[in-house]
Amino acid sequence: EPEVTQTPSHQVTQMGQEVILRCVPISNHLYFYWYRQILGQKVEFLVSFYNNEISEKSEIFDDQFSVERPDGSNFTLKIRSTKLEDSAMYFCASSVGAVRTGELFFGEGSRLTVL
Amino acid sequence: GENVEQHPSTLSVQEGDSAVIKCTYSDSASNYFPWYKQELGKRPQLIIDIRSNVGEKKDQRIAVTLNKTAKHFSLHITETQPEDSAVYFCAAKVRIQGAQKLVFGQGTRLTINP
């Protein structure tokens, strides 16, 4: 069964460092998302990406965040200068169509710890 | 803005009993409502979803009901088993300026007591 894969599974970094989280969405999917989940809290939408551009971003997704689809398979989330409050589990997700018509498939997540 | 409220935050039931989790949403244009199960340290997994043209949907021991007028939907788990213990999240699809996203509820930690 195809699935969304994410690397790394866990990353520890110092405050102020840059972090890149990588995702490989399911191959025939067209919509890509990043969500985050602070420990013990709900899953929060960060950004959606379609047709090689951001279609929507939340207020959390400020100038320190960026996304990229550098080739036909990878989808990355970059945090330029990490803050302590960026510590969370980051989930990549993809869907065939827009959420209405396609189920959202989540990756296993990348746990980011900022010290 | 869009908001999804979920209750209760924790729920403990005896094995074999039923569990009900309720959510309300604010965006009247929402028309897709999935439920996710998340086990400790793992990804959210879709367990059932309902679209706005359906009032109720059932899949074995799991059912979801939707009341569009009242803007609330509920998850019902019957004959609960220990493996049902997890955190459950409801979500509503919100459409803004052509884009679409899921807004999640706060989650319900369900514990099934043997």
Side-chain angles (χ1 to χ4, degrees):
Chain A
E1 184 178 335
E3 52 180 34
V4 177
T5 57
Q6 289 184 240
T7 54
S9 56
H10 188 194
Q11 181 156 358
V12 181
T13 190
Q14 294 292 324
M15 189 169 57
Q17 295 296 304
E18 176 182 285
V19 161
I20 298 177
L21 305 178
R22 292 181 168 80
C23 170
V24 179
I26 295 173
S27 61
N28 64 331
H29 286 188
L30 301 176
Y31 291 77
F32 314 113
Y33 312 83
W34 283 99
Y35 285 78
R36 80 169 186 190
Q37 185 177 33
I38 295 170
L39 187 64
Q41 297 186 24
K42 68 177 176 179
V43 179
E44 299 175 289
F45 170 81
L46 290 179
V47 65
S48 60
F49 192 88
Y50 170 68
N51 199 27
N52 286 318
E53 61 182 15
I54 290 174
S55 50
E56 191 190 347
K57 57 185 180 180
S58 73
E59 62 274 11
I60 302 169
F61 195 89
D62 61 22
D63 292 345
Q64 294 300 312
F65 290 86
S66 63
V67 290
E68 199 176 36
R69 189 157 162 82
D71 52 42
S73 60
N74 292 284
F75 179 51
T76 62
L77 174 69
K78 181 192 289 186
I79 309 174
R80 289 191 184 83
S81 179
T82 51
K83 304 185 288 288
L84 295 176
E85 54 264 38
D86 293 329
S87 294
M89 181 74 91
Y90 288 80
F91 290 104
C92 174
S94 68
S95 63
V96 172
V99 171
R100 173 183 178 183
T101 55
E103 175 186 341
L104 206 63
F105 289 82
F106 284 89
E108 291 282 4
S110 293
R111 181 171 297 283
L112 175 64
T113 302
V114 182
L115 303 175
Chain B
E2 66 275 5
N3 193 36
V4 176
E5 295 288 332
Q6 183 172 347
H7 300 281
S9 56
T10 60
L11 179 61
S12 183
V13 301
Q14 287 299 119
E15 182 179 353
D17 288 349
S18 296
V20 180
I21 303 170
K22 299 181 179 182
C23 287
T24 59
Y25 60 97
S26 59
D27 186 353
S28 55
S30 293
N31 60 3
Y32 175 66
F33 308 92
W35 285 88
Y36 287 84
K37 176 182 180 182
Q38 187 179 31
E39 296 175 354
L40 189 64
K42 297 195 173 180
R43 75 181 104 185
Q45 297 264 20
L46 180 73
I47 55 172
I48 195 167
D49 57 17
I50 191 166
R51 302 180 196 278
S52 60
N53 58 342
V54 176
E56 182 175 354
K57 182 177 177 180
K58 190 173 182 181
D59 182 4
Q60 299 182 356
R61 296 186 298 107
I62 296 173
V64 57
T65 58
L66 171 66
N67 183 329
K68 281 220 78 179
T69 304
K71 289 193 280 188
H72 67 69
F73 55 113
S74 301
L75 177 72
H76 303 252
I77 307 174
T78 58
E79 300 171 23
T80 52
Q81 300 167 3
E83 53 266 36
D84 294 330
S85 294
V87 179
Y88 290 80
F89 290 96
C90 64
K93 187 215 76 177
V94 174
R95 180 172 182 165
I96 299 178
Q97 295 179 353
Q100 300 184 73
K101 67 181 183 186
L102 290 180
V103 176
F104 285 81
Q106 296 91 333
T108 296
R109 181 173 299 281
L110 175 63
T111 303
I112 308 301
N113 301 309

